[in-house]
Structures are given as structure tokens and as C-alpha cells.
Amino acid sequence: MSRSAHPAGPRHGDVLPEGHYTPPPSDLNSLDPRVWAQTVERTAEGALSVGGMDVRRLAEEFGTPAYVMDENDFRARCRAWREAFGPDADVFYAGKAFLSRAVVRWLHEEGLNLDVCSGGELATALAAGMPPERIALHGNNKSMDEITRAVEAGVGRIVVDSFQDLARVAHVARRLGRRQPVQIRVTVGVEAHTHEFIATAHEDQKFGLALAGGQAAEAVRRVLGLESLELTGIHSHIGSQIFDMAGFEVSARRVVGLLTEVRDEHGVELPEIDLGGGLGIAYTSEDDPREPHEIAKALGDIVTRECEAAGLAVPRLSVEPGRAIVGPTAFTLYEVGTVKELEGLRTYVSVDGGMSDNIRTALYDAEYSVTLASRASEAEPMLSRVVGKHCESGDIVVRDAFLPADLAPGDLLAVPATGAYCRSMASNYNHALRPPVIAVRDGEARTIVRRETEEDLLRLDVG
Ligand SMILES: *Cc1c(COP(=O)(O)O)cnc(C)c1O
């Protein structure tokens, strides 16, 4: 398509409309290694490749949109977390970020444990052979059925979230003649600097039992008084997409404070603490995440210092990264359908997916970056908004990004860092068919979650 068919919108250096711009890189073809999976590169022909596979071939073979996951990168990140925390700590991958049987097997092979928070996630973990003792069950409203299946399976840990939840787990364990290990989830009163809907430790929200006001201490009393429960520790998860370690520091201090109170009141030293997940990743070049070894050192130092000050033996630490492991390992591959220039505003680039495969932009104002993936281009940067095909003007994938001005229908775009909370939050809005997840490794690609079909949709529709 010729340039004049859709002349570029405002360029870098022009007066730009309102918005938040990551300035265009000096070269639109360059790839920032922080936002892309490890093996992604631009080949001599100009297209992206991942795990040795050209994205044009992937699009041909598997169609678009598709989530493309770098298996070696996923495994490398698991190992980095495992090695950073060492043998005296446990790393639980938060399954809600993205879960499939293949992922469960990778986690198992790389020595990670697994957090689940629903019957469906538990079923997936068990179906893929995760040993139950390495599974933790979370949730603020677990059903009796979910609790029963978890206790029956023999999960290593259930994290209790309320007095009712505690009573239900105790009831089920007693009925099944088990002594179920549990942790108590506490809210430590930390304001994590993140979006309101993903901050979870300030007091006015649905999760956990508050330290302030003594609910957490009361839950400890109740669990210690029950034969069918074994209290192994205290759990705190302060939120998600956090870069600043200060919140974890306060959280660790307050959790150790509770352990000290428990020792003083009951003469019991609880052997575990879990500081949750929430470590941020780079969605754009402006984000600067910490490496696992820095996080491990920071958390280890805080816990050790606080315990020594309180005269407590240092408990076994666990952490629960979801996004930080899977987020950067995948990108979404889309095909451009239409390119619409709005004079003096920006150019709207419509792709063949949207809010049904990535709700995070609409839900959290999340920022993403995007690159032309099927070829390199020397054209000028064009201020663009990448939008989906759904019936909402809020159906935005990438709010503000610079793409080359010669972009045309049929080009492939890749949006990096979509491994976490994209497929797992995907919907069938407008009866969209949820995209497949393609795992790529050493020059081979395979489907680990297949694309939905219209038969899948109609199979549920039994009216
Ligand atoms: C969501 C969640 C996590 C993982 O959060 P990330 O931001 O993906 O690291 C860990 N623990 C609990 C309890 C959670 O709810």
C-alpha cells in the first residue's frame, strides 16, 4: 500500500496530542531485551524470530492472533528464581498468571512449587502430575468442594483467608481424618504503589485477616486450638507489578512481628513465612525490574535481620512470583487489518484480536509496547494506537506507541510481555475464539493450548 493511502499522523517532534508516550526509539526496528523473551531477535531478513522460528512461519502455521511463548526463557527464569532463593526457600509459581499442563511439567522439572486458587487450577496441576505436596491452595472464598478436593489430594498447604474459610478447612480435614498444613493470610496494612485493583495488603479490601485490630492473632489462636489443622506459618501478599522493595520490607517486619507475638503468647515458633508475589516486569523500556538474585537477597536480609532482632530462629521463606516468571516469556502475534489515520490526532491500527486476548489495558490502564514483526522498516515513526476488533472504544491493546509510517494491512505486529494475565484472563467477548499458546524451543514450535473453535463455543450452548 502506498504511503498516501494512509499518510502518517503526528510525528515525533510535532506537537503531540494528550497521552503518555514512551519516546520512539532512535531505531524502530531495535528490540529492548528487557521487554522481549530471551531468544527473540530480528533476523537479517528483518522479521522477528523466537527460539529460532521466524514469526511469519509461525503465523502461517498457527494463525493469528497467537501467544508465542519462549520455553527456554520460561525454564531459565524458573531456574534463576530457584537458584537465587536456594535450598532453604521455596518458590511457588502463581498459576493464575498462566497455567497449562505443559507449564506445570516445566515447573515440576525445574523444581518449582505451584500456587492454585480454584478447582480448575488444582485439576490442571494434578492432571499434569505436580506432586500434591508441592501445591498450595489460595482463595478468599474456596468452596467446600474445592477444599475437599485439595485435602483429599494431599496439597502441601492451604492458605486460609477468613474465619469461615478456616472453619471450613478444619471441618473438611477432620471429616477426612487428616491434619492439614495451613498458613494464615494476613493483611499487613501496606499501600503497595500499584493499581488499586492489584494492591492487596491495605486494610480496605477483600483479602486476608488484618494484623491491626488482632484478627490475625485471633486466627492463630483458633488454628492452634484445632486438631485437624497444623499451623505452619504466616502469609502476606501485598500486590502486583511492584518495583519498590520498601513494601516487602514493611510486610516482612510486620509478619515477623506476628511470629514474635505468637511465640510470646503460645510458646510456638512457626516454621514458615510466605511473602507472596507481585514483583514487577518491564512492559515498556521505562520499567526497570529487579533481578531474582537482588530480590532474594533483599528479602532474605530483611527476614534474617528482623528474626535475629526478635530472637527467633529464621523461618523457611517462600515467595510466589507469577508475572515475573511467565510475563516476559511470551508475546502476542497479531495481523494488522486496518490502518486509519485521524488527522492531527493519531493513527488507529486495528488488529485481529483485542480486549478478549488482553484485557489489562482496559482493566488497569496497563502500558504495552509493540513492534512491526514481519519485516524491518526505515519509515518514519507514526504515533499509533493499536486497537482490537471488539465493539467497544475502550478495546485498546497499546494506547500510545510509535510504529513505522508505512505500516499496512497484512503486516504482523508483536506485543511483548503478554505471558502473564492475558491468556488466563482471556474471554469470548463478541464470541471471539481465544487464541492458542504456541511454545517455541530450539527451532521447533508446538501448540500447548489450542485455538478455540466455533464448535467449542457451540458445545456450551445447549439451549
Ligand atoms: C496473584 C498472586 C501472586 C502472584 O502475583 P504476581 O504479581 O503474578 O507475581 C502470588 N500470591 C498470591 C497470593 C496471589 O494472589
Side-chain angles (χ1 to χ4, degrees):
M1 186 176 285
S2 75
R3 271 285 314 281
S4 59
H6 50 88
R11 308 289 166 70
H12 182 47
D14 292 355
V15 178
L16 296 173
E18 231 177 275
H20 179 87
Y21 311 111
T22 304
S26 49
D27 174 6
L28 284 181
N29 300 310
S30 69
L31 301 171
D32 180 343
R34 274 182 309 182
V35 303
W36 290 94
Q38 242 168 41
T39 70
V40 174
E41 55 185 14
R42 200 177 282 279
T43 64
E45 283 181 43
L48 297 199
S49 81
V50 54
M53 295 282 295
D54 190 305
V55 295
R56 292 168 300 180
R57 229 184 101 193
L58 293 173
E60 229 174 81
E61 193 172 330
F62 300 99
T64 56
Y67 304 101
V68 181
M69 186 169 283
D70 181 343
E71 178 180 342
N72 280 336
D73 190 26
F74 186 98
R75 290 176 179 272
R77 285 172 198 278
C78 290
R79 282 197 292 277
W81 278 85
R82 248 303 359 129
E83 283 159 19
F85 279 85
D88 298 327
D90 295 305
V91 181
F92 285 76
Y93 169 78
K96 70 177 195 248
F98 172 67
L99 199 64
S100 77
R101 287 195 281 207
V103 159
V104 175
R105 288 194 294 270
W106 302 343
L107 293 166
H108 186 187
E109 286 163 17
E110 302 298 343
L112 268 66
N113 296 358
L114 176 59
D115 271 358
V116 298
C117 60
S118 70
E121 290 182 1
L122 177 63
T124 304
L126 294 172
M130 181 58 89
E133 65 276 11
R134 282 168 51 190
I135 299 174
L137 176 67
H138 283 268
N140 67 300
N141 186 18
K142 310 170 189 79
S143 70
M144 286 299 274
D145 178 58
E146 288 168 325
I147 295 168
T148 304
R149 284 157 64 199
V151 175
E152 263 173 356
V155 300
R157 170 187 299 178
I158 295 181
V159 180
V160 298
D161 192 274
S162 66
F163 293 120
Q164 290 94 351
D165 190 35
L166 186 167
R168 286 176 195 145
V169 176
H171 175 79
V172 169
R174 190 171 60 239
R175 204 182 60 212
L176 294 172
R178 301 284 180 89
R179 187 147 194 265
Q180 175 63 46
V182 297
Q183 290 189 342
I184 293 171
R185 170 140 177 192
V186 302
T187 43
V188 292
V190 170
E191 296 279 352
H193 296 286
T194 186
H195 191 280
E196 181 193 351
F197 294 166
I198 50 177
T200 56
H202 53 298
E203 267 131 25
D204 187 4
Q205 44 82 29
K206 71 173 187 171
F207 292 109
L209 289 147
L211 276 180
Q215 287 201 329
E218 174 57 21
V220 169
R221 268 173 227 124
R222 293 194 194 178
V223 175
L224 288 175
L226 288 162
E227 281 282 300
S228 60
L229 300 183
E230 176 195 354
L231 182 60
T232 61
I234 301 299
H235 182 285
S236 163
H237 170 70
I238 57 174
S240 211
Q241 188 58 1
I242 301 165
F243 293 102
D244 179 359
M245 294 304 287
F248 289 98
E249 172 131 20
V250 176
S251 166
R253 200 176 313 127
R254 295 189 182 162
V255 168
V256 172
L258 178 61
L259 294 186
T260 312
E261 280 176 41
V262 171
R263 179 204 51 202
D264 294 347
E265 182 179 339
H266 305 281
V268 176
E269 286 199 27
L270 299 179
E272 295 172 355
I273 71 175
D274 187 317
L275 293 178
L279 285 313
I281 62 165
Y283 284 102
T284 73
S285 295
E286 291 188 339
D287 296 326
D288 185 19
R290 305 273 73 76
E291 294 292 325
H293 66 90
E294 299 173 84
I295 295 159
K297 177 156 176 18
L299 295 182
D301 285 355
I302 299 163
V303 171
T304 305
R305 196 178 62 227
E306 294 297 321
C307 289
E308 280 173 358
L312 285 168
V314 178
R316 188 174 180 83
L317 176 64
S318 46
V319 286
E320 304 175 313
R323 185 191 317 267
I325 289 179
V326 71
T329 68
F331 59 85
T332 313
L333 192 59
Y334 297 105
E335 186 178 297
V336 174
T338 67
V339 179
K340 186 185 287 178
E341 191 216 347
L342 301 189
E343 191 76 45
L345 288 171
R346 73 191 87 238
T347 299
Y348 277 78
V349 176
S350 297
V351 295
D352 49 356
M355 64 193 297
S356 55
D357 58 73
N358 187 348
I359 190 65
R360 294 190 65 259
T361 306
L363 189 59
Y364 312 127
D365 281 327
E367 282 175 26
Y368 282 91
S369 57
V370 57
T371 197
L372 172 57
S374 43
R375 60 186 173 91
S377 167
E378 300 308 321
E380 284 181 73
M382 161 178 84
L383 180 62
S384 310
R385 178 162 288 172
V386 178
V387 296
K389 59 183 288 166
H390 296 283
C391 306
E392 307 260 337
S393 49
D395 173 25
I396 296 169
V397 181
V398 185
R399 187 172 302 279
D400 297 300
F402 288 91
L403 285 166
D406 63 353
L407 194 74
D411 280 333
L412 298 176
L413 294 183
V415 173
T418 57
Y421 305 109
C422 286
R423 182 58 180 80
S424 69
M425 288 184 160
S427 77
N428 291 120
Y429 182 42
N430 291 137
H431 283 202
L433 305 171
R434 287 177 296 174
V437 182
I438 309 301
V440 181
R441 184 188 195 188
D442 304 333
E444 280 176 33
R446 67 190 171 105
T447 303
I448 60 171
V449 178
R450 73 161 167 78
R451 186 184 302 283
E452 259 175 344
T453 62
E454 287 174 1
E455 293 83 85
D456 289 329
L457 293 182
L458 287 168
R459 196 169 299 144
L460 301 179
D461 184 336
V462 295

